[in-house]
Every structure is written in structure tokens, then in C-alpha cells.
Amino acid sequence: MKDRLGEFLIEKGLFITAISSVVIILLIIVFIFSEGLPAMESYGFLNFIFGSTWDPSSGQYGILPMIVGSMGITLLALIFSVPLSLLCAIFMAEIAPKTVRKIMKPVIETLAGIPSVVYGFFGLIVLVPLMRTYFGGTGFSMLTASIILTVMILPTIVSVSEDSIRSVPSEYKEASLALGATHWQTIKNVIFPAAVPGVITAIILGMGRAIGETLAVIMVAGNVAQFPSSIMDPVRALTSNIALEMGYATGMHYSALFATAIVLFMLIMILLVIANYFHYKKKINVGGGYL
Amino acid sequence: MNSKYIILILAVLVIISAYMFTPKGNYETLQIAGSTSVQPVVEKLVDKFQETHPNVHINVQGGGSGLGIRTVNQGIVQIGMSSEQLAPEDTTGLTAYQIGKDGIVIAVNNANPVNNLTTDELREIFSGNITNWNQLGGPNEEIHVIVRESGSGTMQSFQNLVMGQTKIEKNAIVQSSTESVKQAVKQDPGAIGFISLVNLDSNVKALKVNRVYPSQDTISNGSYTLQRPFTLLVKGQPEGITREFIDWVLSPEGQAIVKQTKVVPVNATT
């Protein structure tokens, strides 16, 4: 009798803890939407999304330049970091001797533990002057921000994809080697394809961090709410827009910042859906994929 | 096994109740929030004030002039800090105490040979009509305009004092604090930005505006025109500890500390 009561309590206790994260997310969504929708309604959803001028002092709330900015920074950062981190993960999982791996793993994990303000400060002091010297302009640019983000998301992608490469069953590798394939052929044609779903998860996580990063981007991106004409132009990200003006905003402006958060939220949802679709599709193709 | 849990739960309960039932009547609290430009000055004042008033707990928070005005109006804080020229409709129901005057310094890179600009030239630069330093007698170097985010007290004062109705060019780099404006100017030979006199140091070069160099003297006698008031705001009439603090800030002792922070003291109520 006592055991059954214990079981019951533990079961319900676990259920409550599990449901609490869902409840918290729902509460946040409800709050963001209730604060942000008034601005979208009175300014017009399409005007808000596709407007190209952000000038709160004259009542203009168009966030398209910032959507472009956020997407541009994230895309560039992924272009730089995905090849780098995948090759690094393959090296660590397959090629590196144990001792090298023992050193590299904690080093890369430390990279993930550095606070973003430190990255931002490093970017401001070191990278911005370098960019100005070599590429001209002010040095504050989409490219500068994406380089900083590349370093920031590198550890996430490396460690998650390394785990997925390592969890490919050793039978796959052994069978391939037994058939006479070289180590590189095995990695390229057997191990990596089997690990692709996990690699996609790693990229999604990295992308999520890149698009949500605020502080480091504020410090190096220049925060100009204009369409960039090249990757050397300063841009403002959606997150930066909220963080920069939240302290001062009142009324319509305040609500418009929450509406910016709604757009950011939807953007991340769309990216997640796309990424999950590929994750699912690849999983079917591989057949025996374990992740 | 079970007794361990019971002890743990009891311990938590004791801690919570101890926290809840601690007598709070022993000291008074004073909440201050607002402009990040005024914040360092008020923090210095608070440090000194607490030496003689150990029973008062004072919290000083940033957040911007707008936040200061809003929260003091809502009664969330007792004192709001503002660094803007206040319009009468901003301060309805509030009492404003000016604690000092601050200068807005036009900062350029130390390597920049230009020493003096007029207000008209500044307006042309920040609105994007003058784009190269050689138009102002400097080297052939593109001008990089650095401003603050919209809503910042420093930005709004600059807009009012220099730009008037003219808009600041849209390509200007936005930095989120005085320190990062200074960093950006320090590194870039073509940069121009504006900072508060309080934050001026050897990392950047201050320009004369209309042939007057910004200093405590020129701000005090009014010849340096880019200046703004630092104000403490109180809802209604101040009472108790709020009154005591403000009176002390405006006393010679408080004003001497204001002066130490490079802010120009004014001993007057506005």
C-alpha cells in the first residue's frame, strides 16, 4: 500500500516537473503576444514586417532591415562555422589520438563557457580595428558580427556532432573497413552519413544560439537600422533592437519592441520546422541512423 | 531516510520564515533609478551619505532618463534621475531638483588634427552633409559618425542642443553606452562621437565648440553651450529620508562631491 502511494506520488511529481517547462513557455508566449499584438494591430502586420524604416521618434516601426540583419549575420556565421566545426568533430571522433582528444575536448568546451560580453569586448577591441584597417569603412559590420558568432557557436556544433559521430555503431565502421575501404572512404561514405541527423541537430542548436545572441552583436555590428548593401555594412539584429531601446520605450514604441520579439519568435519557429524536416528526412534515408 | 527529508524541509521552512519575519523597522530604504549618466555621481553621493546614515539602505539603478521619470511617477522608486532638459509636461506632479550641470563633449580620435567645430558644422556632419575631414581642414579621411541609441539621455540632449529639427543621418553607427562610443572613437582616426564630460579622458580628444573648450569653468559660466542639467525627481513633495538626502546633496558638502566627479555643481532648486 505504502509502495503504491510512493509510486503514485513520484509519477505525479515527475509529471508536474515535466509539464512546468511547457507551462513556463506558454506563459512567456502569452505575455509576449499580449504586449506585442497591439502594436502590430494598430501599425498593420504587413507594414510592420515589410516596412523599411525604423524611427520610433516619428512613429515609424518597420523591421524588415532588422530581419535581414539577423538572418544575414546568422547565415554568414553558419557558412563559416559549419565546415570548420564538422571537420573538427570528425577529426576528434575518428582520427585524433586519445591524448590529443583529451586536451581538445575541454579546450573547446571552455570556448562555450566564455560569457558573451567577453566575446563582444574582444570583437570591439581587436576585430573591429582589424576589419577597418583591411576592409575600410568603420569596422562595425555584418561580417565582424558573424565572425564573432562563428567562434561562439563553434563549440556547440563541434561537441554535439562529435557525440553523434561517436555513437555510430562500430559494426558499420568495421564492415566498411573489412570491405577494403580506406579510413577516409569509411568516414565519408559510412560514418558521416549515419551521423547526419545528429549533425543537423548540432547545427540547429548553433543556429539558435547565433540568432538569439544579443550582447556580443550589439558591440560589434554597428546597430544601424538600414538595409546592408554588402556584408561590410553595419546592421542591426532583431535582438539588438529590443535590447538597445527597451530601457527607454513607452507606449507604442514599447509594444513595437515586443512585436519585434514576436517576429523573432516566429523566425526561430520557422527555422526549427525546416531543420526538423531535414532531420526527419535524412533519418529515413539512412535507415539505421541512431540519433 | 525519511527523517533526512523532514530535516531538510524543516531547514528550508526555518530559513524562509527567518527571512520573512526579520524586523525591517530598523532601517529605511531609498530607491533611486534613472539616467546612467547621473548614476555614477549619485553613487558617489550615496557612498558618502551612508557614512553618516548607516541605517538607510539606498539602491541606485540605471535604466535611462525615461525609466527614471516613469518609475518615479508610478511610485516604484522615491527618486528618479534625469539627464535631459525636461519639458514641463514630463514633470507634472513631480518636483525637480537640479544637482549639477554636465557638458556634452564632441570627441574625436587623438590623431585628428581638427581642433574646433561650430555648431553648424556639427549639424552638417551628423546629418551626413559633410562626409570627409578635408572639408573641415583635416586630412583626407572619411568621417565615421557614432551616436547613441534613440532614447538615451545623451542622445536626446545632443539632438536638442545641436541638431534641432534636423535628423541625424541614418547610417550612423549606434553604440549602446558612453564607454563603447569612447572605444570606437579611440580606435578609428575618422570617427566623431559625443560623450559626457564626466567620462572624458585621454583616450579621446575633446573638440572646442564655437571656439570654447569644454571644462567645468566654461560650463559654469555658460560659454560652452552644449550642456544639460542633471536632475533628481521626486513625486509630490519629498518627505523623511528622501528630503534629508536631497537637502544633503544640495548642501555645500554634497555639492563638493558633485564637483569631484567633474559635474558642475549648481546650488539652486529649479
Side-chain angles (χ1 to χ4, degrees), chain A residues 16-190:
Chain A
I16 288 167
T17 40
I19 205 94
S20 64
S21 62
V22 178
V23 171
I24 289 168
I25 289 182
L26 281 178
L27 281 176
I28 292 174
I29 293 174
V30 167
F31 180 73
I32 291 177
F33 273 77
S34 68
E35 293 284 342
L37 280 181
M40 280 194 169
E41 270 169 30
S42 63
Y43 194 71
F45 181 73
L46 292 179
N47 287 343
F48 184 74
I49 301 266
F50 294 110
S52 58
T53 319
W54 175 268
D55 187 3
S57 55
S58 61
Q60 302 246 51
Y61 302 101
I63 62 160
L64 193 59
M66 288 166 256
I67 298 179
V68 173
S70 266
M71 298 289 277
I73 295 174
T74 308
L75 210 69
L76 266 181
L78 284 178
I79 290 173
F80 293 140
S81 66
V82 166
L84 254 174
S85 42
L86 289 192
L87 293 177
C88 178
I90 291 173
F91 174 78
M92 279 172 64
E94 283 297 318
I95 298 159
K98 237 184 180 164
T99 43
V100 174
R101 189 174 173 268
K102 263 192 182 149
I103 300 167
M104 277 188 79
K105 186 109 181 157
V107 169
I108 288 176
E109 275 160 7
T110 313
L111 220 51
I114 297 175
S116 61
V117 64
V118 176
Y119 280 109
F121 198 59
F122 171 82
L124 183 63
I125 304 288
V126 180
L127 209 58
V128 170
L130 269 181
M131 298 302 265
R132 193 187 51 250
T133 318
Y134 290 107
F135 297 102
T138 55
F140 294 99
S141 70
M142 197 157 122
L143 184 64
T144 318
S146 58
I147 290 176
I148 290 290
L149 281 181
T150 302
V151 184
M152 292 181 74
I153 65 179
L154 206 71
T156 314
I157 306 185
V158 170
S159 46
V160 177
S161 50
E162 193 216 344
D163 285 344
S164 84
I165 292 170
R166 293 180 80 80
S167 65
V168 171
S170 56
E171 290 89 347
Y172 285 27
K173 187 180 171 186
E174 284 157 11
S176 167
L177 289 174
L179 286 169
T182 63
H183 196 181
W184 172 239
Q185 283 168 337
T186 308
I187 292 170
K188 193 175 62 163
N189 298 324
V190 178

Side-chain angles (χ1 to χ4, degrees), chain A residues 264-279:
Chain A
L264 190 63
F265 187 80
M266 293 197 296
L267 210 63
I268 290 174
M269 292 290 274
I270 292 169
L271 290 174
L272 274 179
V273 168
I274 294 173
N276 272 324
Y277 170 74
F278 280 114
H279 180 119

Side-chain angles (χ1 to χ4, degrees), chain B residues 37-114:
Chain B
S37 310
V38 190
Q39 194 184 1
V41 183
V42 170
E43 273 169 0
K44 275 238 170 71
L45 286 165
V46 165
D47 278 351
K48 205 76 190 164
F49 184 73
Q50 286 195 314
E51 281 174 19
T52 50
H53 296 77
N55 289 334
V56 187
H57 280 215
I58 306 182
N59 291 323
V60 187
Q61 286 174 15
S65 300
L67 182 125
I69 297 169
R70 201 162 69 233
T71 49
V72 77
N73 244 326
Q74 294 166 345
I76 299 170
V77 300
Q78 284 98 320
I79 300 179
M81 303 177 283
S82 157
S83 58
E84 292 166 39
Q85 196 76 51
L86 295 163
E89 66 264 24
D90 287 338
T91 55
T92 3
L94 300 178
T95 319
Y97 295 90
Q98 189 175 344
I99 61 164
K101 283 191 275 186
D102 175 43
I104 293 189
V105 175
I106 306 299
V108 296
N109 191 274
N110 279 327
N112 195 324
V114 174

